[in-house]
Amino acid sequence: MTASPRFTRRTITDQVTEDLRARILSGDFPAGFQLRQDAIAGEYNVSRIPVREALQRLDAEGLVTFQPHKGAIVSQLSLDEIEELFEVRKLLECELLRHAVPRLTPADLKSVEDILLVYDEAFRSGDVARWGELNREFHDRLYRASNRPKTLEIIRMIGNNTVRFTQAQLALSGATDRAEREHHQIFEACKAGNTDEAVELLADHIQSSADSLMECLRKARE
């Protein structure tokens, strides 16, 4: 594992959790990878206690599972589980967007547009490592105006389990042009205050992403 700096802010457990989460979501730790507590503690120059607590948090998020005689393993989802998560995403995210569109302020729209511009640049520069997180940030900024914090929390947890697959899907399928176009269409509908159109575009966007991902994963796992 690559070296990491010593932690100096917030609680050690918080920081170990955040760093491990980021490395799982980026693919640095792939599905099935064994997360050895002693090795992680040594890398971060901390005791095993905050490492164990961090892994327990990631277990609660679905990113890590504990297996007998192996300890913590980066979770690997079945095709059925991934498909189910995207179905839940579509239901909940469309509901959030329906509540959010009428409440979007000019400042909200500027924030969404800003992240969309960064996302566009990442597409054009081929910065694959950022695609998954920027995709999630784009959607998250749209939904914040919904005033549905509990639903948004669920969506974020689902996002933790699907962001690595979204990133892989874009890289494997070469569907970046379509994703970029669909994001702009969703944004323009939101900007115009057209709730029904925005929700319909979002549902189609999530479904097409899921279909493309499932096709890629089935081929990869054959």
Side-chain angles (χ1 to χ4, degrees), residues 89 92-93 96 143 151-159:
R89 267 195 60 194
L92 295 183
E93 291 186 36
L96 281 181
Y143 307 151
T151 307
L152 187 56
E153 185 178 334
I154 295 171
I155 287 298
R156 287 169 176 165
M157 185 172 293
I158 293 173

Side-chain angles (χ1 to χ4, degrees), residues 180-216:
E180 186 176 4
R181 181 179 66 255
E182 290 176 353
H183 285 149
H184 279 275
Q185 289 172 341
I186 293 168
F187 173 71
E188 291 301 326
C190 291
K191 188 176 179 180
N194 193 330
T195 302
D196 290 341
E197 181 182 0
V199 170
E200 183 177 353
L201 288 168
L202 176 62
D204 290 344
H205 170 64
I206 294 175
Q207 187 61 55
S208 64
S209 297
D211 291 343
S212 178
L213 171 62
M214 296 305 293
E215 182 181 357
C216 289

